[in-house]
Amino acid sequence: MEKILARSRWYRLIPIAFITYSLAYLDRSNFGFAAAGGMAEDLGITPGMSSLLGSLFFLGYFFFQIPGSHYAATKSAKKLIFWSLILWSALAAATGMVHDVNMLIAIRFLLGVVESAVMPSMLILLSNWFTKEERSRANTFLILGNPATVLWMSVVSGYLIDALGWREMFIIQGVPGILWAFIWWKLVDEKPKDANWMTEEEKADLEEALYKEQQGIKPVKNYAEAFKSRAVILLCAQYMLWSVGVYGFVMWLPSIIKSAPNMDIVITGWLSAVPYILAIIGMLAASYFSDKTMNRKVFIWPFLLVGAIAFYLSYLIGESNFWLSFALLVIAGGAMYAPYGPFFAVITEILPRNVSGGAIGLINSMGALGSFGGAYIVGYLNGATGGFGASYILMAVSLLASAILTIVVVKSPKQIAAQAQ
């Protein structure tokens, strides 16, 4: 009879992970609202410089993924996230105090550096606590901090900018992370053996389940061997292209909506929140059925394809019908977010624990490079063309290519079974 693993892990760890990642995501995505809410005019930021500033975060995010992931896997994810929380919150609040574009450039880059290891560290931490059959859902509850944060942040940021200004928005949304760091340190345990809220039997059962699933994974000697593998290379390309679409969308959706006739910043905030409602529903459904069927592939590529089609149709409609185009953007946003849980479950299921942390860091760093490209190129295209059609095509093509790569690299249960024979 299969042992039932401790349910307390879910309500003890997942809410903390969710809130922590939410705070991280808040401090990277509220820049788009500041740009649409007066920051550009106050600091004399040109459209080209605005694109660079919006994307600089991801350049800093790119460079320190692998070192951070290695430290989290071999030393302590808990300690790394604690210090990251304090530093990124301080930098986010400092954004509201700048009066010089050069200082803003430095802060945006450093914010990316400090936050670079947070997501891979979180995924590594969760892999210490949740088994293969649970991992897609655990990852999804973590990454739900992304759309859920943008959902409420879109509304709150609109009101804060309208009532107080963009500077006060950054300060008010930055400070809570410093306080949360100490709550994180108090409540989170690195591994099951450290948890005084589990019985010894529960700890032993979980450790045994995690050990057994490692036995079914082909051994990989070191990072060099893992990074050269076909699967990791293709997953890097897949995630980079996917991220072009996601962050081109996240960073510039407020500006796209704000450009509509008779649109103020408060209404922009409410409308910007809508895609993330669909994203949350899609993420929960995809992760549940992915774990239930153990089929990751079919819960990744179809969503990316839907996102690509929605962007292309938005391009065809153009500015002739704002509300239909907006509805398609809602679909694109929801579809792009839905596969995150199954995708990150794939990595820990094809690579052993000794190299999976570094591989997550490498793949996430390629995602950061795609995010940089998406945020910068979409902003540049919007400014250069005076419209959004070119950026819609860019995001559509990127998502289509990402869907094709998913079909190539991620194996279905039947393919996995055939390979094992």
Side-chain angles (χ1 to χ4, degrees):
M1 183 177 177
E2 187 177 346
K3 296 175 181 176
I4 298 176
L5 301 176
R7 292 189 178 91
S8 55
R9 296 167 299 143
W10 291 93
Y11 59 77
R12 180 82 188 204
L13 295 168
I14 293 299
I16 301 169
F18 172 84
I19 292 171
T20 304
Y21 191 61
S22 293
L23 290 169
Y25 206 80
L26 169 65
D27 293 335
R28 77 180 70 167
S29 56
N30 56 9
F31 180 85
F33 274 90
M39 182 174 67
E41 291 82 355
D42 290 350
L43 298 181
I45 300 171
T46 64
M49 179 57 72
S50 184
S51 297
L52 178 62
L53 287 166
S55 56
L56 261 178
F57 169 92
F58 301 105
L59 194 60
Y61 199 76
F62 167 74
F63 283 112
F64 294 91
Q65 290 279 325
I66 297 174
S69 300
H70 178 71
Y71 181 89
T74 59
K75 301 292 185 182
S76 173
K78 176 181 176 178
K79 186 182 294 185
L80 182 62
I81 293 168
F82 171 78
W83 286 110
S84 295
L85 266 165
I86 292 174
L87 291 171
W88 90 55
S89 301
L91 286 166
T95 308
M97 305 174 193
V98 300
H99 293 274
D100 177 74
V101 173
N102 292 326
M103 184 60 70
L104 187 57
I105 289 172
I107 287 176
R108 290 298 296 174
F109 179 79
L110 289 173
L111 190 63
V113 170
V114 171
E115 285 193 30
S116 61
V118 174
M119 184 175 176
S121 297
M122 285 286 201
L123 292 168
I124 290 165
L125 185 73
L126 292 180
S127 72
N128 294 332
W129 286 95
F130 296 95
T131 64
K132 182 177 180 179
E133 290 76 16
E134 305 167 315
R135 205 161 287 147
S136 179
R137 281 168 292 160
N139 291 345
T140 291
F141 282 119
L142 166 67
I143 302 169
L144 271 176
N146 176 326
T149 299
V150 182
L151 173 63
W152 68 261
M153 181 273 295
S154 297
V155 176
V156 172
S157 294
Y159 279 110
L160 284 175
I161 292 172
D162 186 59
L164 301 172
W166 63 269
R167 294 184 182 279
E168 288 76 9
M169 178 202 72
F170 277 122
I171 295 168
I172 290 170
Q173 293 181 350
V175 170
I178 298 173
L179 305 175
W180 181 256
F182 296 93
I183 298 173
W184 163 271
W185 186 259
K186 178 71 174 176
L187 296 181
V188 169
D189 295 299
E190 193 85 39
K191 293 182 179 179
K193 64 182 177 63
D194 305 320
N196 58 14
W197 43 270
M198 291 174 68
T199 67
E200 292 303 318
E201 183 181 0
E202 287 174 332
K203 293 179 188 179
D205 288 345
L206 179 56
E207 293 283 7
E208 181 185 1
L210 292 169
Y211 175 79
K212 282 182 177 178
E213 72 179 36
Q214 287 292 304
Q215 305 313 298
I217 300 175
K218 181 182 177 181
V220 178
K221 291 180 182 178
N222 49 40
Y223 285 155
E225 184 178 333
F227 293 174
K228 289 187 293 185
S229 72
R230 174 178 178 271
V232 170
I233 292 170
L234 291 179
L235 285 172
C236 284
Q238 187 266 15
Y239 195 50
M240 181 173 68
L241 291 163
W242 181 358
S243 298
V244 168
V246 171
Y247 284 96
F249 177 84
V250 170
M251 293 301 295
W252 297 108
L253 181 64
S255 295
I256 291 170
I257 295 172
K258 184 71 164 52
S259 68
N262 304 315
M263 191 68 67
D264 63 32
I265 192 66
V266 173
I267 297 174
T268 296
W270 278 101
L271 291 179
S272 296
V274 176
Y276 302 101
I277 298 173
L278 185 60
I280 291 168
I281 295 169
M283 289 177 74
L284 290 171
S287 65
Y288 174 80
F289 288 107
S290 172
D291 277 348
K292 191 174 182 65
T293 63
M294 292 308 296
N295 189 337
R296 310 303 187 195
K297 183 174 186 173
V298 77
F299 293 102
I300 302 174
W301 73 262
F303 286 104
L304 299 177
L305 181 60
V306 168
I309 293 170
F311 275 127
Y312 181 67
L313 291 176
S314 291
Y315 160 75
L316 293 180
I317 292 167
E319 298 179 6
S320 63
N321 189 325
F322 170 78
W323 290 109
L324 180 55
S325 180
F326 174 71
L328 288 165
L329 291 178
V330 170
I331 293 170
M336 284 190 295
Y337 274 96
Y340 272 122
F343 175 79
F344 281 105
V346 167
I347 302 167
T348 55
E349 291 167 9
I350 63 174
L351 291 170
R353 191 176 295 276
N354 66 307
V355 295
S356 61
I360 289 172
L362 177 65
I363 292 166
N364 212 40
S365 69
M366 292 299 104
L369 198 60
S371 302
F372 173 80
Y376 180 75
I377 298 171
V378 166
Y380 173 80
L381 290 173
N382 292 346
T385 63
F388 307 107
S391 59
Y392 291 163
I393 288 292
L394 170 69
M395 291 186 280
V397 171
S398 297
L399 289 174
L400 176 61
S402 183
I404 292 169
L405 283 174
T406 303
I407 294 170
V408 172
V409 68
V410 180
K411 292 181 171 60
S412 66
K414 288 182 179 180
Q415 290 172 311
I416 295 171
Q419 192 177 45
Q421 291 176 356

